[in-house]
Amino acid sequence: VDVRIELSHDERERYEDFRSAAIEEMEIGGNDPATRFRLLAAMTRLRQLACDSRLVYPDDFLATGTKIERLRTIISDLRQSGHKALVFSQFTTLLGLARDALEADGVQIRYLDGSTPLKRRQAEVDAFQAGDGDATPTRHRWPDGCCRNRDNA
């Protein structure tokens, strides 16, 4: 299941403010290597802002982003239907935010990221496939916020 989620007004405003500032900085900086590096960093920050503003601004006044809230709803609906989910993101901080929100909802989590040792990784996968856990946030190079639903993931 791929779900398109629109940013809230405040999230969209923050995104646009950051984007405008980055464009202005690039126009002033020209084409030197330092400016190109800052452009790449700004692009990453924009991708993070599109996921959850707390990835860029950890103390953000927006308690929970729109995408995390939608994830909570999706996982709740899946659990009620007897399904499980694998939740992918390239940003481990976003996975942590998702894990915290889902655990607060009573969702049993199996968590994987690049720092998970190989033996533990296999144990987490085996446990999830055996029915232990409702959702598995994992770092993968798929689109951020992409929620995959499989009957026996």
Side-chain angles (χ1 to χ4, degrees), residues 10 47 114:
D10 290 341
R47 288 182 54 237

Side-chain angles (χ1 to χ4, degrees), residues 36-104:
R36 287 192 302 252
F37 181 77
R38 286 193 305 275
L39 173 62
L40 290 174
M43 290 171 62
T44 298
R45 293 288 184 236
L46 286 169
R47 288 182 54 237
Q48 291 172 324
L49 281 168
C51 293
D52 192 297
S53 61
R54 293 172 295 171
L55 299 180
V56 176
Y57 306 106
D59 298 325
D60 198 348
F61 65 93
L62 299 173
T64 303
T66 301
K67 291 185 178 183
I68 295 290
E69 285 302 315
R70 183 68 176 119
L71 175 65
R72 293 171 98 166
T73 301
I74 291 169
I75 297 296
S76 175
D77 292 347
L78 289 172
R79 289 177 72 204
Q80 289 175 11
S81 301
H83 297 283
K84 298 178 179 206
L86 298 173
V87 180
F88 297 97
S89 176
Q90 184 176 3
F91 302 117
T92 55
T93 305
L94 182 62
L95 291 175
L97 293 172
R99 178 184 54 203
D100 293 347
L102 294 172
E103 285 178 342

